Every structure is written in structure tokens, then in C-alpha cells.
Amino acid sequence: MKILVPVKRVVDYNVKVRVKSDGSGMDLAGVKMSMNPFDEIAVEEAVRLKEKGVATEVIVVSCGASACQETLRTALAIGADRAILVETPNDPSFELQPLAVAKILKALIDKEQPGLVILGKQAIDDDNNQTGQMLAALADLPQATFASKVEVLEGKAKVTREVDGGLETVEVTLPAVVTTDLRLNEPRYVTLPNIMKAKKKPMETIKPADLGVDVAPRIKTVKVEEPPKRGAGVKVPDVATLVDKLKNEAKVI
Amino acid sequence: MAALVIAEHDNASLKGATFNTVTAALACGGEVHVLVAGENAAAVAQAAAQVQGVSMVLHADSPALGTQLAENVAAQVLALAGGYSHILFPATSSGRNVAPRVAAKLDVAQLSDVTKVLGADTFERPIYAGNAIATVQSADAVKVITVRTTGFDAAPAVGGSAAIETMAAVADSGKSAFVGRELTKSDRPELTAARIIVSGGRALGSAEKFTQVLTPLADKLGAALGASRAAVDAGYAPNDWQVGQTGKIVAPTLYIACGISGAIQHLAGMKDSKVIVAINKDPEAPIFSVADYALEADLFGVIPELVAQL
């Protein structure tokens, strides 16, 4: 079976981003970009399933400007077999939203017929946590979100999910959509020989219009602001002062 | 037009997050109805009918809904969706699981983790791990929303007297099945609802030390226990104790961070707490930039002292 893994190019998780002074968005000029951490976990899981002989081919896909090729090359270096770039205009004011991405991915499912789609649970830029679930709905497939363990059985997948209060296990009929949580696996480091090999792997570029998908945003961002700043705190010299402050100044205990 | 709130429950009781979601729904402007989809959940429907501000409760009961499988719950919501301008879920693991499925079927965008309702179509939500607040406007006919519960007060649990209407339950999708659940046993208050949280990081060193040092403090304060991602990944604390961008978002009255450096991903989960105390021996730890009271000291020495003085 084929596994399809969508990956997103986002601001590196270590970067502290700033809001643009005109409130139109985030200042991303010259900022380091990387693969969304949850997507790295998704690629790793797909590659492990291939190494176990469960999957025959791992296809990675990214939607966005041409710079997403870099993210796809990283996924190929981890071990994916081929890549698809769904290229949108290289215009920073154009916002590709989860519903549009889900529609693009639905069209790719129709074309590629994967047995499993593995996505990250959320992207660390828009923090939406929607695309996997939306894709499952549009393609009429079952979903197993926030996965911390995936076992592929005959025609089914048994997935342990991280839920409020603990863990939950569900069994979904394949094809299915799985989204990864942090503790599913530890993604491998890419090695130089694999980076070189990744350059030779096939990468196809298509446009959303080739798939017949309307990518117009449905949500308009009116403005983006800095969150309210917290007032400066005080340093306390010892435990007695801390207890006194909490009791008499803050009155919280 | 009216708003529909999808109740969070365990078939026996209505969960706290539902009350905050009702408040957000009332802010959208119209009547508020609550859907209770479950198995043998009549008591939950009764409880939902008492919530102040709720004018109708819709109750769908069947074994297919008992375990809250996304495919079935989404189908149940869609059976009702036609009559509503707003459909709101709490931003809990089950709300996040189901809401986008409903939105996609309705061919509308979804608004995640809304922290403020500015109007019927305009909302605030945090992005980039809480480093920015976006004001967003939806052009869709139906607004499907998940509500960040810490952004809204809980609606009073009594004072309402809504009618309960039973509705036909949808058939099981047959595409997914519930296998089992392994819940972390705890006598403590629920993390997202606790008034005080004591949270530990990697500096605790081991699972034994984590329990040994932090439990007496949490017991003394009647607090919930939380953890940073580093502590969870190291196996010191269970996954569902994780506070942060990818874990729980909390806003207690008092948050005590012990041996937590304060990475942006952790701050995203707790910086709306009313009072933050940080105990860390590293004077450069970023947690001190958000702390109201900072104690620069070795936690193994000062936490027992703190317990003794409380």
C-alpha cells in the first residue's frame, strides 16, 4: 500500500517570531524555516512502516510557494520515495487555509489511492489542528487523531490516541487518516548521503487548478497583535517572603 | 439564528469545558441550544438543561455515540446543523477531533481555539504558540468554532430550565471501532479546571523525585499537578499532564513552575495564569520573564521548606 504524507514549511520552532508593526501579520523576513515538527514525526512513521514491509511507497506532498521544495527534499532524505509540490502563488499576502489544503489532498487521494494518510496533528504557525480531520471528512474516511502508536493489521489500523485524561485505542478500517502526536516516534536525523540521494528522487509540481480546487481563503485576518504584556515581576529572596507575598499581596493562597 | 453547543461529557456527568463554551455561544448573539450525544446519558441532558442561558437541549442516545467516535458524533451534529448559524465545541481533545470534520462536511472554514467573541462573525484567536493574537472574520454562513475554555467564564450550572428534546440517533459509521481507554487515575482536581497548579520540569531528575517533591506541595494547596514537555518525554509524568502549545492550555489563579526553564511552547500553555511563581536555580531561565514572583534557588531545598511554611 501507498502512504501519503502531507508536510508543511513553517517558521522553525525555536524562533521567537514578532508581529509586524502595522498589524498585518508576522514578520517572517529572513526567519529560519523548517518542516513542521509534527510532520517530521509523520514522515518518520511512514518510512518505518515501509521498512517493516507494510507500505510499498511513501509519497510526500506540500502545498505552498516554491520554497516548499526544500521541505519536500528533507522528507525525501528521511526516506520518502517521491514528492508532489502543489504550488500556490509566491505572494506573502495569499493565505492557504486548512479547508483548501484538505480539498487539495482529497484530490490527491482520488489520484494516488493511498492506503493510509499520515499528517501532523497541528502546524505550529496557525495552530489550527484541522487539516487531517477535514481531509477524512471530505474523503469519507475514518480518522485516528493525536496518535501515539500505530499498528497496521489486515485491512485495519489500531491506533492509540492521546486524549484528555489518558490514552484511548481505536481501530479504523483502511484507507484511513491518522494524525501524529509528539510521542509517536523520534524522527531520525538526515545524513549527508541521504540528502544527496534525495536530490535524485522524483518531484512533481502541479497547481491547485490542475486538481480543480478553489483555494480562496474563507477567513479573513483583520489584524494581528502582540499579546498583552505581563507586568514585571519581583524577585523574592527566600521562601518566607514568597509565602508572605502570596498570602498578603497576591492573596491567592 | 441560534448557536449549538456540543456538550463534553462522559455519559454520567457534564464536563466543565461545556460551561465555558455556553458563555462563548451566548456572546455570539442568539439562542443557545446544547447537543448531548451519548449512551445512557439522560443525566447529562438533565444537567445541561439546568445551565443558565441554555434554551433547549437536544438529546441523542445510542451505543454508537457512547464512546464519542468522531465519525458518529460528527454525523449526529450534521443531522442538526441546518438550523444553526454557530456550532461551538470546547477545544478539548474530543472537540478538536470532531469540529473540523463537521466544518468540512458543511464546506465551511473552522475557527480554532477562539479566545474572544467580538461579534457574530469576528473572533480573536492566538497563533504562533500564543506569540500573537489574530482577529479573524469568517465569511461562511455557518461558523464552526472550537472554544479555548480559559478565555471564557463558566456559565452557572443552575438557574436554567431548558426543554429537553429527544432526537433520533444516527447509525454507526462502521468505519471505526472503540477498543479501549486507559485513563490516568488521579484524585486531584482536573488540570484545566484547577484553581492552583504545581508544575514540574526536567530539573526534577526522575519520576520518583517528581512525585516525592511535588506531591506534598500539591496536596497542601489542593492543586493539580502539571508538567513540561521535557518532564513528560523523560517519563517523569504522564502525557496528559503536559502544559503547553501541544498539551493543555491552563489559566489557574496560581501557577507554580518548578524547575521549568520556560520554552515558548510551555509559556503558550500557562501565561494567562493570574499569578505565576517560578522556582529555578538558573537566573537566566526565560520563565522569570513571565513570573510575578521569582525565587532563584534549588527546588529540592526550597519546596520542602515551602510546604512546611504553608
Coordinates of all heavy atoms in Angstrom, one line a residue, chain B residues 45-133:
Chain B
A45 N -28.1 15.2 30.0 CA -29.1 16.1 29.3 C -29.8 16.9 30.4 O -30.0 18.1 30.2 CB -30.1 15.3 28.5
Q46 N -30.1 16.2 31.5 CA -30.8 16.9 32.6 C -29.9 18.1 33.2 O -30.3 19.2 33.4 CB -31.0 16.0 33.8 CG -32.1 15.0 33.6 CD -33.5 15.6 33.5 OE1 -33.7 16.8 34.0 NE2 -34.5 14.9 33.0
A47 N -28.6 17.8 33.3 CA -27.7 18.8 33.8 C -27.5 19.9 32.8 O -27.5 21.1 33.2 CB -26.3 18.1 34.1
A48 N -27.5 19.6 31.5 CA -27.4 20.7 30.5 C -28.6 21.6 30.5 O -28.4 22.8 30.3 CB -27.2 20.0 29.2
A49 N -29.7 21.0 30.8 CA -31.0 21.8 30.9 C -31.0 22.8 32.0 O -31.7 23.9 31.9 CB -32.2 20.9 31.0
Q50 N -30.2 22.6 33.0 CA -30.1 23.5 34.2 C -29.2 24.7 34.0 O -29.2 25.6 34.7 CB -29.6 22.7 35.4 CG -30.2 21.4 35.8 CD -31.7 21.7 36.2 OE1 -32.0 22.5 37.0 NE2 -32.6 21.0 35.5
V51 N -28.3 24.5 33.0 CA -27.3 25.6 32.8 C -27.9 26.9 32.4 O -28.7 26.9 31.5 CB -26.2 25.1 31.7 CG1 -25.2 26.2 31.5 CG2 -25.6 23.8 32.1
Q52 N -27.5 27.9 33.1 CA -28.1 29.3 32.8 C -27.8 29.7 31.4 O -26.6 29.7 31.0 CB -27.5 30.3 33.8 CG -28.5 31.3 34.2 CD -28.0 32.2 35.3 OE1 -27.3 33.2 35.0 NE2 -28.3 31.8 36.5
G53 N -28.8 30.2 30.7 CA -28.6 30.7 29.3 C -29.0 29.7 28.2 O -29.1 30.0 27.1
V54 N -29.1 28.4 28.6 CA -29.4 27.4 27.6 C -30.9 27.3 27.4 O -31.7 27.2 28.3 CB -28.9 26.0 28.0 CG1 -29.4 24.9 27.1 CG2 -27.4 26.0 28.2
S55 N -31.4 27.4 26.1 CA -32.9 27.4 26.0 C -33.4 26.1 25.4 O -34.6 25.8 25.5 CB -33.3 28.6 25.1 OG -32.6 28.7 23.9
M56 N -32.5 25.2 24.9 CA -33.0 23.9 24.5 C -31.9 22.9 24.6 O -30.8 23.2 24.3 CB -33.6 23.9 23.1 CG -34.5 22.7 23.0 SD -35.0 22.2 21.3 CE -35.2 23.6 20.3
V57 N -32.2 21.7 25.0 CA -31.3 20.6 25.0 C -31.7 19.5 24.0 O -32.9 19.1 24.1 CB -31.1 20.0 26.4 CG1 -30.2 18.8 26.3 CG2 -30.5 21.0 27.3
L58 N -30.9 19.1 23.1 CA -31.2 18.0 22.2 C -30.4 16.8 22.6 O -29.2 16.9 22.9 CB -30.8 18.4 20.8 CG -31.6 19.6 20.3 CD1 -30.8 20.6 19.7 CD2 -32.7 19.1 19.4
H59 N -31.1 15.7 22.8 CA -30.5 14.5 23.4 C -30.6 13.4 22.4 O -31.7 13.0 22.0 CB -31.2 14.2 24.7 CG -30.6 13.0 25.4 ND1 -31.3 12.2 26.3 CD2 -29.4 12.4 25.2 CE1 -30.6 11.2 26.7 NE2 -29.4 11.3 26.1
A60 N -29.5 12.9 22.0 CA -29.4 11.7 21.1 C -28.7 10.6 21.8 O -27.6 10.8 22.3 CB -28.7 12.0 19.8
D61 N -29.3 9.4 21.9 CA -28.7 8.3 22.7 C -28.6 7.1 21.9 O -29.6 6.6 21.4 CB -29.7 8.1 23.9 CG -28.9 7.8 25.2 OD1 -28.4 6.6 25.3 OD2 -28.7 8.7 26.0
S62 N -27.4 6.5 21.9 CA -27.3 5.2 21.2 C -25.9 4.7 21.5 O -25.0 5.4 21.8 CB -27.5 5.3 19.7 OG -26.2 5.6 19.1
P63 N -25.7 3.3 21.4 CA -24.4 2.8 21.7 C -23.3 3.3 20.7 O -22.1 3.4 21.1 CB -24.6 1.3 21.4 CG -26.0 1.0 21.6 CD -26.7 2.3 21.1
A64 N -23.7 3.7 19.5 CA -22.8 4.3 18.5 C -22.2 5.6 19.0 O -21.1 6.0 18.5 CB -23.5 4.5 17.2
L65 N -22.9 6.3 19.9 CA -22.4 7.6 20.4 C -21.7 7.5 21.7 O -21.0 8.5 22.2 CB -23.6 8.6 20.5 CG -24.3 8.9 19.2 CD1 -25.6 9.6 19.4 CD2 -23.4 9.7 18.3
G66 N -21.7 6.4 22.4 CA -21.2 6.3 23.8 C -19.8 6.5 23.9 O -19.3 7.1 24.9
T67 N -19.0 6.2 22.9 CA -17.5 6.3 23.0 C -17.0 7.6 22.3 O -15.8 7.8 22.2 CB -16.8 5.1 22.5 OG1 -17.2 4.8 21.2 CG2 -17.1 3.9 23.4
Q68 N -17.9 8.4 21.8 CA -17.6 9.7 21.1 C -16.7 9.5 19.9 O -15.8 10.3 19.7 CB -16.9 10.6 22.2 CG -17.7 10.9 23.4 CD -18.9 11.8 23.0 OE1 -18.8 12.8 22.3 NE2 -20.1 11.5 23.5
L69 N -16.9 8.4 19.1 CA -16.1 8.3 17.9 C -16.4 9.5 17.0 O -17.6 9.8 16.8 CB -16.4 7.0 17.2 CG -15.8 5.7 17.9 CD1 -16.5 4.5 17.3 CD2 -14.3 5.7 17.7
A70 N -15.4 10.0 16.4 CA -15.5 11.3 15.6 C -16.5 11.1 14.4 O -17.3 12.0 14.2 CB -14.2 11.7 15.0
E71 N -16.5 9.9 13.8 CA -17.3 9.7 12.6 C -18.8 9.8 13.0 O -19.6 10.4 12.3 CB -17.0 8.3 12.0 CG -15.6 8.2 11.4 CD -14.5 8.0 12.5 OE1 -14.9 7.7 13.7 OE2 -13.3 8.1 12.2
N72 N -19.1 9.2 14.1 CA -20.5 9.1 14.5 C -21.0 10.5 15.1 O -22.1 10.9 14.8 CB -20.7 8.0 15.6 CG -20.5 6.6 15.0 OD1 -20.5 6.5 13.7 ND2 -20.2 5.7 15.8
V73 N -20.2 11.1 16.0 CA -20.6 12.3 16.6 C -20.7 13.4 15.5 O -21.7 14.2 15.5 CB -19.6 12.8 17.7 CG1 -20.0 14.1 18.3 CG2 -19.5 11.7 18.8
A74 N -19.8 13.4 14.6 CA -19.9 14.4 13.5 C -21.2 14.3 12.7 O -21.9 15.2 12.4 CB -18.7 14.3 12.6
A75 N -21.6 13.0 12.4 CA -22.8 12.7 11.7 C -24.0 13.2 12.5 O -25.0 13.8 11.9 CB -22.9 11.3 11.4
Q76 N -23.9 13.0 13.8 CA -25.0 13.5 14.7 C -25.2 15.0 14.6 O -26.3 15.6 14.6 CB -24.8 13.0 16.1 CG -26.0 13.2 17.0 CD -27.2 12.2 16.6 OE1 -26.9 11.0 16.5 NE2 -28.4 12.7 16.4
V77 N -24.1 15.7 14.7 CA -24.1 17.2 14.6 C -24.6 17.6 13.3 O -25.5 18.5 13.2 CB -22.7 17.7 14.9 CG1 -22.7 19.3 14.8 CG2 -22.2 17.3 16.3
L78 N -24.2 17.0 12.2 CA -24.6 17.3 10.9 C -26.1 17.2 10.7 O -26.7 17.9 9.9 CB -23.8 16.5 9.8 CG -22.4 17.0 9.7 CD1 -21.5 15.9 9.0 CD2 -22.2 18.3 9.0
A79 N -26.7 16.2 11.4 CA -28.1 16.0 11.3 C -28.9 17.2 11.8 O -30.1 17.4 11.4 CB -28.5 14.7 12.1
L80 N -28.3 18.0 12.6 CA -28.9 19.2 13.2 C -28.5 20.5 12.5 O -29.1 21.5 12.7 CB -28.5 19.3 14.6 CG -29.1 18.5 15.7 CD1 -28.3 18.7 17.0 CD2 -30.5 19.0 15.9
A81 N -27.3 20.5 11.9 CA -26.6 21.7 11.6 C -27.4 22.7 10.8 O -27.2 23.9 11.0 CB -25.3 21.3 10.8
G82 N -28.3 22.3 10.0 CA -29.1 23.2 9.1 C -29.7 24.4 9.9 O -29.8 25.5 9.3
G83 N -30.1 24.2 11.1 CA -30.8 25.2 11.8 C -30.0 26.2 12.6 O -30.5 27.1 13.3
Y84 N -28.6 26.2 12.4 CA -27.8 27.0 13.3 C -26.8 27.9 12.5 O -26.3 27.5 11.5 CB -27.0 26.1 14.3 CG -27.9 25.4 15.2 CD1 -28.4 24.1 15.0 CD2 -28.4 26.0 16.4 CE1 -29.3 23.5 15.8 CE2 -29.3 25.4 17.2 CZ -29.7 24.1 16.9 OH -30.6 23.5 17.8
S85 N -26.6 29.1 13.1 CA -25.6 30.0 12.5 C -24.2 29.7 13.1 O -23.2 30.1 12.5 CB -26.0 31.4 12.7 OG -26.1 31.7 14.1
H86 N -24.2 29.2 14.3 CA -22.9 28.9 15.0 C -22.9 27.5 15.6 O -23.9 27.2 16.2 CB -22.7 29.9 16.1 CG -22.5 31.4 15.7 ND1 -23.6 32.1 15.3 CD2 -21.4 32.1 15.6 CE1 -23.1 33.3 14.9 NE2 -21.8 33.4 15.1
I87 N -21.9 26.8 15.4 CA -21.7 25.5 16.1 C -20.4 25.5 16.9 O -19.4 25.7 16.3 CB -21.7 24.3 15.0 CG1 -23.0 24.4 14.2 CG2 -21.6 23.0 15.7 CD1 -23.1 23.4 13.1
L88 N -20.6 25.3 18.2 CA -19.4 25.5 19.1 C -19.0 24.3 19.8 O -19.9 23.6 20.4 CB -19.6 26.7 20.1 CG -19.9 28.0 19.5 CD1 -21.4 28.3 19.4 CD2 -19.2 29.1 20.3
F89 N -17.8 23.9 19.8 CA -17.2 22.8 20.6 C -16.2 23.3 21.6 O -15.5 24.3 21.2 CB -16.5 21.9 19.6 CG -17.3 21.2 18.6 CD1 -17.6 21.9 17.4 CD2 -17.6 19.8 18.7 CE1 -18.3 21.2 16.4 CE2 -18.3 19.2 17.7 CZ -18.7 19.9 16.5
P90 N -16.1 22.7 22.7 CA -14.9 23.1 23.6 C -13.7 22.6 22.9 O -13.7 21.6 22.2 CB -15.2 22.4 24.9 CG -16.2 21.3 24.6 CD -16.9 21.7 23.3
A91 N -12.6 23.4 23.0 CA -11.3 23.0 22.4 C -10.6 21.9 23.3 O -9.5 22.1 23.7 CB -10.4 24.2 22.2
T92 N -11.3 20.8 23.5 CA -10.7 19.7 24.2 C -10.3 18.7 23.2 O -10.5 18.9 22.0 CB -11.8 19.1 25.1 OG1 -12.9 18.8 24.3 CG2 -12.2 20.0 26.2
S93 N -9.7 17.5 23.7 CA -9.3 16.6 22.6 C -10.5 16.0 21.9 O -10.4 15.8 20.7 CB -8.4 15.5 23.2 OG -9.2 14.7 24.2
S94 N -11.6 15.9 22.5 CA -12.8 15.4 21.7 C -13.4 16.5 20.8 O -13.7 16.2 19.6 CB -13.8 14.7 22.5 OG -14.3 15.6 23.5
G95 N -13.4 17.7 21.3 CA -13.9 18.8 20.4 C -13.1 19.0 19.2 O -13.6 19.2 18.1
R96 N -11.8 19.0 19.4 CA -10.8 19.2 18.3 C -10.9 18.1 17.3 O -10.6 18.3 16.1 CB -9.4 19.3 18.9 CG -9.1 20.6 19.6 CD -7.7 20.6 20.2 NE -7.5 21.9 20.7 CZ -6.6 22.2 21.7 NH1 -5.9 21.2 22.2 NH2 -6.4 23.4 22.1
N97 N -11.2 16.9 17.8 CA -11.3 15.7 16.9 C -12.5 15.8 16.0 O -12.4 15.5 14.8 CB -11.5 14.5 17.9 CG -11.3 13.2 17.2 OD1 -10.5 13.1 16.2 ND2 -11.9 12.2 17.6
V98 N -13.6 16.3 16.5 CA -14.9 16.3 15.7 C -15.1 17.6 14.9 O -15.6 17.5 13.8 CB -16.1 16.0 16.7 CG1 -17.4 16.0 15.9 CG2 -15.9 14.7 17.5
A99 N -14.8 18.7 15.5 CA -15.3 20.0 14.9 C -14.8 20.2 13.4 O -15.6 20.5 12.6 CB -14.8 21.2 15.7
P100 N -13.5 19.9 13.1 CA -13.1 20.1 11.7 C -13.9 19.2 10.7 O -14.1 19.5 9.5 CB -11.6 19.8 11.7 CG -11.2 19.8 13.1 CD -12.4 19.4 13.9
R101 N -14.2 18.0 11.2 CA -15.0 17.0 10.4 C -16.4 17.6 10.0 O -16.8 17.5 8.9 CB -15.1 15.7 11.2 CG -15.1 14.5 10.3 CD -15.1 13.2 11.0 NE -15.6 12.2 10.1 CZ -14.9 11.4 9.4 NH1 -13.6 11.3 9.6 NH2 -15.5 10.6 8.5
V102 N -17.0 18.3 11.0 CA -18.3 18.9 10.8 C -18.1 20.1 9.8 O -18.9 20.2 8.8 CB -18.9 19.4 12.1 CG1 -20.1 20.3 11.9 CG2 -19.2 18.2 13.0
A103 N -17.1 20.9 10.0 CA -16.9 22.1 9.2 C -16.7 21.7 7.7 O -17.3 22.2 6.8 CB -15.7 22.9 9.7
A104 N -15.8 20.6 7.5 CA -15.5 20.2 6.1 C -16.8 19.7 5.4 O -17.0 20.0 4.2 CB -14.4 19.2 6.1
K105 N -17.6 19.0 6.1 CA -18.8 18.4 5.5 C -19.8 19.6 5.2 O -20.6 19.5 4.2 CB -19.5 17.5 6.5 CG -18.8 16.1 6.6 CD -19.1 15.2 5.5 CE -18.7 13.8 5.8 NZ -18.6 12.9 4.6
L106 N -19.7 20.7 5.9 CA -20.6 21.8 5.6 C -19.9 22.7 4.6 O -20.5 23.8 4.2 CB -20.9 22.6 6.9 CG -21.7 21.9 8.0 CD1 -21.7 22.7 9.3 CD2 -23.1 21.7 7.5
D107 N -18.7 22.4 4.2 CA -17.9 23.2 3.3 C -17.7 24.6 3.9 O -17.9 25.6 3.2 CB -18.5 23.3 1.9 CG -17.6 23.9 0.9 OD1 -16.3 23.8 1.1 OD2 -18.0 24.5 -0.1
V108 N -17.4 24.7 5.2 CA -17.0 26.0 5.8 C -15.7 25.9 6.5 O -15.2 24.8 6.8 CB -18.1 26.4 6.8 CG1 -19.5 26.6 6.1 CG2 -18.2 25.5 8.0
A109 N -15.0 27.0 6.7 CA -13.8 27.0 7.4 C -14.1 26.8 8.9 O -15.2 27.0 9.3 CB -13.0 28.3 7.2
Q110 N -13.1 26.5 9.7 CA -13.3 26.3 11.1 C -12.4 27.3 11.8 O -11.3 27.6 11.4 CB -13.0 24.9 11.5 CG -13.4 24.7 13.0 CD -12.5 23.8 13.7 OE1 -12.3 22.7 13.4 NE2 -11.8 24.4 14.7
L111 N -12.9 27.8 13.0 CA -12.1 28.7 13.8 C -11.7 28.0 15.0 O -12.5 27.5 15.8 CB -12.9 30.0 14.1 CG -13.4 30.7 12.9 CD1 -14.9 31.1 13.0 CD2 -12.6 32.0 12.7
S112 N -10.4 27.8 15.2 CA -9.8 27.0 16.3 C -9.5 27.9 17.5 O -8.9 29.0 17.3 CB -8.6 26.3 15.8 OG -8.9 25.3 14.9
D113 N -9.7 27.4 18.7 CA -9.2 28.0 19.9 C -9.6 29.4 20.1 O -8.7 30.3 20.4 CB -7.7 27.8 20.0 CG -7.3 26.5 20.6 OD1 -7.6 26.3 21.8 OD2 -6.6 25.7 19.9
V114 N -10.8 29.8 19.8 CA -11.3 31.1 19.9 C -11.2 31.6 21.4 O -11.7 30.9 22.3 CB -12.7 31.3 19.3 CG1 -13.4 32.6 19.8 CG2 -12.6 31.2 17.8
T115 N -10.6 32.8 21.6 CA -10.5 33.3 23.0 C -11.4 34.5 23.3 O -11.5 34.9 24.4 CB -9.0 33.7 23.3 OG1 -8.6 34.5 22.2 CG2 -8.1 32.5 23.4
K116 N -11.9 35.0 22.2 CA -12.8 36.2 22.4 C -13.8 36.3 21.2 O -13.5 36.0 20.1 CB -12.0 37.5 22.5 CG -12.6 38.6 23.4 CD -11.8 39.8 23.4 CE -10.9 39.9 24.6 NZ -10.1 41.1 24.6
V117 N -15.1 36.6 21.6 CA -16.1 36.8 20.5 C -16.3 38.3 20.4 O -16.7 39.0 21.3 CB -17.4 36.1 20.9 CG1 -18.5 36.4 19.8 CG2 -17.2 34.6 21.1
L118 N -15.9 38.9 19.2 CA -16.0 40.3 19.0 C -17.3 40.7 18.3 O -17.8 41.8 18.3 CB -14.9 40.9 18.2 CG -13.5 40.6 18.8 CD1 -12.4 41.1 17.9 CD2 -13.3 41.3 20.2
G119 N -18.0 39.7 17.7 CA -19.2 39.9 17.0 C -19.6 38.6 16.5 O -18.9 37.6 16.6
A120 N -20.8 38.6 15.7 CA -21.3 37.3 15.3 C -20.4 36.6 14.3 O -20.4 35.4 14.1 CB -22.7 37.5 14.6
D121 N -19.5 37.4 13.6 CA -18.6 36.8 12.6 C -17.1 37.1 12.9 O -16.3 36.8 12.1 CB -19.0 37.2 11.2 CG -18.8 38.7 10.9 OD1 -18.5 39.5 11.9 OD2 -18.9 39.1 9.8
T122 N -16.8 37.8 14.0 CA -15.4 38.3 14.2 C -15.0 37.7 15.6 O -15.7 37.9 16.6 CB -15.4 39.8 14.2 OG1 -16.0 40.2 13.0 CG2 -13.9 40.3 14.1
F123 N -13.8 37.2 15.6 CA -13.3 36.5 16.7 C -11.8 36.7 16.9 O -11.1 37.1 16.0 CB -13.5 35.0 16.6 CG -14.9 34.6 16.2 CD1 -15.3 34.5 14.9 CD2 -15.9 34.4 17.2 CE1 -16.6 34.2 14.5 CE2 -17.2 34.1 16.9 CZ -17.5 34.0 15.5
E124 N -11.3 36.5 18.1 CA -9.9 36.5 18.4 C -9.4 35.1 18.7 O -10.1 34.3 19.3 CB -9.6 37.4 19.6 CG -9.3 38.8 19.3 CD -8.9 39.7 20.5 OE1 -8.4 39.1 21.5 OE2 -9.1 40.9 20.4
R125 N -8.2 34.8 18.1 CA -7.6 33.5 18.5 C -6.0 33.7 18.5 O -5.5 34.5 17.7 CB -8.0 32.4 17.5 CG -7.7 32.7 16.0 CD -8.1 31.5 15.1 NE -7.5 30.3 15.6 CZ -6.3 29.8 15.0 NH1 -5.8 30.4 14.0 NH2 -5.8 28.8 15.5
P126 N -5.4 33.0 19.4 CA -3.9 33.0 19.4 C -3.3 32.2 18.3 O -3.8 31.1 17.9 CB -3.6 32.4 20.8 CG -4.7 31.6 21.2 CD -5.9 32.1 20.4
I127 N -2.2 32.7 17.7 CA -1.4 31.9 16.7 C 0.1 31.9 17.2 O 0.4 32.6 18.1 CB -1.6 32.5 15.3 CG1 -1.3 34.0 15.3 CG2 -3.0 32.2 14.8 CD1 -1.3 34.6 13.9
Y128 N 0.9 31.1 16.5 CA 2.3 31.1 16.8 C 2.6 30.9 18.3 O 3.2 31.7 18.9 CB 3.0 32.3 16.3 CG 3.2 32.4 14.7 CD1 2.2 32.9 13.9 CD2 4.3 31.8 14.2 CE1 2.3 32.9 12.5 CE2 4.5 31.8 12.8 CZ 3.5 32.4 12.0 OH 3.6 32.4 10.6
A129 N 2.0 29.8 18.8 CA 2.2 29.4 20.2 C 1.9 30.6 21.2 O 2.6 30.8 22.2 CB 3.7 29.0 20.4
G130 N 0.9 31.3 20.8 CA 0.4 32.4 21.7 C 1.3 33.7 21.6 O 1.1 34.6 22.4
N131 N 2.2 33.7 20.6 CA 3.1 34.9 20.5 C 2.3 36.0 19.7 O 2.9 37.1 19.6 CB 4.4 34.5 19.8 CG 5.3 33.9 20.7 OD1 5.6 34.4 21.8 ND2 5.8 32.8 20.3
A132 N 1.2 35.7 19.2 CA 0.4 36.8 18.5 C -1.1 36.4 18.7 O -1.5 35.3 18.8 CB 0.8 36.8 17.0
I133 N -1.9 37.5 18.6 CA -3.3 37.3 18.7 C -3.9 37.8 17.4 O -3.7 39.0 17.0 CB -4.0 38.2 19.8 CG1 -3.3 37.9 21.2 CG2 -5.5 37.9 20.0 CD1 -3.4 36.6 21.8

